Amino acid sequence: MMCVCGPHASGKSCFLEVASSLGFITYETSSMLRELHACVEGDISFEEWTRQYVNTNGRGVLSTKMIQLMRGSGTDNQETHSVVLAGLRNQEGILYMCREYAKVEGVLLCFLSAPKLFLFDRFNARARIRGEQQFDRGQFDELLETERALGLPGILELPHIHLRNDRS
């Protein structure tokens, strides 16, 4: 199993598209979480729902839900070496997915990074395409700070591969 990590808009989805075209089974955690959020009644933002869900149920509960979705997709019988998972934001989540889904202690980890302005531009371009709210720089800085608080910088101690996306 390979985990692809990095901040919002760093290129994880593009990485998954390439991996899928090469025959890998791919999962994107943000898509899985948005699928869970869509089942929630009421008008609550994705970010607020995630925060409330984790505060109420603990950090591991979202990983457990994602594993249930992965197993329910019919690909659980596949060899885990052919699985690429993107979007986890902390060491704890990565190690949990290794143990509970892949049943291994280690995983190949790729970290994608990019210049902050590049991330900001890509994030808003994607928001325009999806018809979602675009962020000003202050809001985007808050989003990056949330990722840091979740543990994204701690992942930098783990990767086997570190790729810098600089638009080339």
Side-chain angles (χ1 to χ4, degrees):
M1 186 165 97
M2 173 187 262
C3 286
V4 181
C5 305
H8 277 80
S10 59
K12 297 179 298 293
S13 296
C14 292
F15 191 103
L16 286 184
E17 287 176 21
V18 172
S20 180
S21 74
L22 295 172
F24 288 89
I25 301 160
T26 60
Y27 297 102
E28 186 171 24
T29 60
S30 62
S31 296
M32 289 189 286
L33 290 176
R34 288 185 189 284
E35 186 178 316
L36 289 171
H37 173 249
C39 298
V40 175
E41 292 184 24
D43 188 25
I44 183 172
S45 73
F46 176 73
E47 291 75 16
E48 184 59 29
W49 169 79
T50 303
R51 207 173 307 129
Q52 287 179 9
Y53 201 83
V54 169
N55 288 339
T56 302
N57 301 294
R59 288 184 104 174
V61 72
L62 290 176
S63 295
T64 300
K65 288 285 189 187
M66 287 186 282
I67 288 172
Q68 289 170 353
L69 288 172
M70 291 163 70
R71 289 188 174 145
S73 70
T75 58
D76 191 44
N77 295 333
Q78 300 290 334
E79 295 291 325
T80 56
H81 69 268
S82 63
V83 171
V84 180
L85 177 66
L88 294 169
R89 297 286 198 274
N90 60 58
Q91 285 186 25
E92 179 184 325
I94 292 168
L95 297 175
Y96 182 86
M97 294 300 265
C98 291
R99 280 191 320 273
E100 301 302 320
Y101 177 73
K103 305 295 186 199
V104 297
E105 290 301 318
V107 64
L108 181 61
L109 180 62
C110 176
F111 190 91
L112 299 178
S113 65
K116 189 174 177 180
L117 182 58
F118 173 77
L119 296 174
F120 175 73
D121 290 344
R122 276 186 49 112
F123 179 86
N124 280 329
R126 189 172 60 199
R128 276 191 301 278
I129 291 168
R130 292 179 177 171
E132 297 174 349
Q133 175 191 356
Q134 296 179 51
F135 283 13
D136 62 29
R137 291 204 181 181
Q139 292 169 308
F140 189 71
D141 286 345
E142 287 178 23
L143 178 66
L144 294 180
E145 183 54 40
T146 299
E147 290 183 331
R148 283 190 284 281
L150 287 172
L152 192 61
I155 294 175
L156 288 170
E157 302 167 7
L158 301 176
H160 300 94
I161 303 166
H162 189 147
L163 300 175
R164 185 161 174 84
N165 186 351
D166 62 1
R167 296 186 174 149
S168 59

